[in-house]
Amino acid sequence: MVVSTMRYRVASLAQITRYTNSMYAAVYTLVGTYLSGGATAALALRSWGAAAVVGLVVAYGFVINDYVDIQVDGYSKPHRPIPAGKIAREAALWLALALAGAALLLAASLGPALALFALCTTLLATIYSFALKGTVLWGNACMALLIASIPLYGGLAGGGISALVGIVAGLMWLFDFSHEILKTTADWRGDGRAGLRTVATAFGVRGAVRIFQAAGLLFIGVALLPWISGLIGASYLLALLPCAVLPTVAVIVMLARSTDDATITLALKIMRYMWISNLLPILLMS
């Protein structure tokens, strides 16, 4: 009985922290250190400490968001730990505070610049959950900024934010901005019942899809610029086409033909997998 209870609690904690997203964020942090200082920097203890900080901040962001979103999740995602009764709302708040505290303490040990950066991203994640999530485009832009800050943090830990790290951050902002807009098309029913104003509740699913398609095309164009300008070689292009360009085009075309729930679910799944496939062209930038 004790073992099964512990497993249940661990599973609930894993669900509310979205630990896989924290792992992805940690990897992208190390990518930032690699692009900034090479393999030596990426293998340094300081870089792994920075990756842990980012993972903790990301976990905090998910937990505090679930704490705030209890009403919305009750409508559209009742399986999540708080509305499902797996974790008490007060316990989730304490967990969020513990994650934020651990992140900031670890960041403080890495130096003032990384500590201040971590504090700013933690505050921004808090502002997003309490004030910006239920806004049209502003919340999407804020979340994209948080995602774009991940390689910047890694670059700072690796010795300095290089031009390549800045390019990657810009591309990640564009990609996640489009991704966040598309997410609103899956959540529009629950968001609408909870009174949130999002891209999908403001413009309808079809309107949100059109905005996503425009943002997706912009992402493709900007992603090609480093190769077009001669800044990065052909190996980047050869990886970019199958890993980022073609999947984005496929999603845009799919949604041009249909915007039903099944198509949107498939489109979001493809976009999630692209967080893995996008690593290859990014690494080939160096």
Side-chain angles (χ1 to χ4, degrees):
M1 179 65 73
V2 174
V3 174
S4 61
T5 301
M6 286 296 294
R7 286 178 179 173
Y8 179 81
R9 289 179 178 175
V10 169
S12 298
L13 289 174
Q15 186 180 1
I16 198 170
T17 56
R18 323 289 206 280
Y19 72 95
T20 54
N21 294 73
S22 292
M23 292 170 62
Y24 292 150
V27 169
Y28 271 95
T29 306
L30 293 174
V31 168
T33 64
Y34 173 73
L35 293 176
S36 177
T40 301
L43 293 173
L45 184 61
R46 174 182 169 88
S47 298
W48 285 81
V53 169
V54 171
L56 288 167
V57 172
V58 168
Y60 161 78
F62 279 114
V63 176
I64 198 65
N65 187 66
D66 280 11
Y67 171 81
V68 174
D69 270 1
I70 183 170
Q71 181 182 6
V72 180
D73 288 344
Y75 291 131
S76 58
K77 297 170 184 174
H79 60 279
R80 284 189 171 173
I82 298 178
K86 297 177 182 178
I87 295 179
R89 190 166 184 247
E90 183 180 357
L93 177 60
W94 282 109
L95 174 60
L97 293 174
L99 289 167
L104 295 177
L105 284 174
L106 180 55
S109 71
L110 301 176
L114 290 173
L116 180 60
F117 199 124
L119 176 61
C120 290
T121 54
T122 303
L123 290 175
L124 189 58
T126 306
I127 293 170
Y128 168 79
S129 293
F130 280 91
L132 293 179
K133 183 175 182 179
T135 61
V136 179
L137 293 178
W138 288 106
N140 310 122
C142 177
M143 179 53 66
L145 180 60
L146 285 166
I147 296 298
S149 72
I150 292 172
L152 296 178
Y153 195 76
L156 191 60
I161 299 173
S162 64
L164 282 179
V165 173
I167 291 171
V168 170
L171 289 173
M172 287 179 66
W173 187 91
L174 276 172
F175 179 76
D176 193 65
F177 182 63
S178 65
H179 191 191
E180 294 297 323
I181 292 170
L182 186 58
K183 285 180 184 178
T184 67
T185 64
D187 299 335
W188 70 274
R189 292 183 182 89
D191 290 344
R193 290 181 65 185
L196 293 182
R197 277 184 56 80
T198 67
V199 178
T201 60
F203 301 109
V205 171
R206 289 187 180 276
V209 164
R210 292 191 190 97
I211 296 172
F212 158 77
Q213 289 168 325
L217 290 172
L218 180 60
F219 164 71
I220 291 173
V222 174
L224 289 169
L225 282 178
W227 173 74
I228 293 172
S229 64
L231 182 65
I232 299 172
S235 59
Y236 166 76
L237 177 66
L238 292 175
L240 184 72
L241 290 175
C243 293
V245 173
L246 293 179
T248 304
V249 170
V251 170
I252 290 172
V253 172
M254 283 168 46
L255 293 171
R257 294 177 175 176
S258 174
T259 57
D260 61 19
D261 289 346
T263 304
I264 288 172
T265 299
L266 178 58
L268 286 169
K269 185 177 292 187
I270 293 172
M271 296 287 285
R272 282 196 296 270
Y273 284 135
M274 285 176 65
W275 282 113
I276 300 174
S277 65
N278 284 344
L279 282 169
L280 180 58
I282 289 174
L283 290 172
L284 290 174
M285 284 182 168
S286 61

